[in-house]
Amino acid sequence: MAAATAPPSRRWRGGGIGAAVSILALSSAVVAARARTSAFCTGPHRDARSTGRRQRNDCRSFALGASLQTPTPTESSSTASSAAKRPSLHTIPSNVIPFPPFADEVPQSHVLAVDDMGPALKFSKNGKLKVLNLTGLHHLAVIILTMPLWMMAMETLHRLGDAIEGFDDHRAKFDYSGKVWCRTYLRLTDCYPEIVGDVDRLKDDAGNGACLFVANHASFLDIAVLCCAVDPVFKFIAKDSLKDFPGVGMQLTGGDHVLIDRSNKRSQLRSFKDAVNYLKEGVPIMAFPEGARSPDGRLMDFKGGIFSMAVKAGVPIVPLSLANTHAVMPSEGLVPVQSGRGKLRVYVHKEIGVEGKSEEEIAAEVRAALLSELPPDQHPSEEPDR
């Protein structure tokens, strides 16, 4: 889907005739736009107290085309007769993409083209294009200033956990240091996500018991976003290669998370058993059923075996839809390339029971749930956008 973002605001500069001409032109455009809106949205909805959602819906109905307009009382009988055959305003034709459930306006992609990322340093890493713009520099500065404190906290908590029996069961305190860092980092970079849906399922004191959290995986930013959303101690199922990544690797290894080497059958079996044991002990597991990051943000096919863990342990599955992380930190970005305000969103779905269901049935339910709260540009390209 083509990138569509609003241009950055600019401060008016200059003066004299040039400024006057510019202001006059802007005023004329605003007046013309308001005149068109008035012509499209006439009727009782123009009352000062009812010009909100109802008026926007009238304008949307107009935008769907003349074939959706209902006849007015002043139309001729022949016109009214032909208009009666037209679909109702509440009937959306098959060629029109419905609005996603979380959007109040026409959906658009927040993905930026590389040329729209502003002044940027472009380079190649492992044969792939990487971009570092001004937003990225801000992120790097925050990471450089805060990550050493996080790593010191992890080292201290790990030593205390080793020295004092019962001090840090399941490395909960150790893992919480990572949540504190992720939340601090995303707030300082204007990337803290909106968290909606069944949010009580994510609270530490809700007493919901263990479950298998599953989320779509569209960006490296997903890990930090999930750490902002989920309060109880949980363990990631992550690639073994991440253990060498600064900060994140120390968190995964020191927190006894489940690391998996997909090229090694023994590693896969050991990881499966470790995850099931955590679930039986009451510790939730976080997994990405796609098994890898999507290169373009679109939901990919699921890998086998993920949902079998929930069946084996007898726990429910809670899907989490992550919206627009691929736009804020795309595959080309060394770090995020734009603000996440108004874009990043975590939707917590109702839990899905696994009793008496096959893995294929569970996968279908999870996939439908994830897609129901993802924007159109995160739907598989071969499937119609919802």
Side-chain angles (χ1 to χ4, degrees), residues 22-38:
S22 300
I23 294 173
L24 180 60
L26 178 61
S27 301
S28 300
V30 172
V31 170
R34 294 183 65 179
R36 288 194 297 271
T37 303
S38 176

Side-chain angles (χ1 to χ4, degrees), residues 363-374:
E365 286 190 53
V366 170
R367 189 174 187 83
L370 292 176
L371 286 172
S372 70
E373 291 294 337
L374 290 178

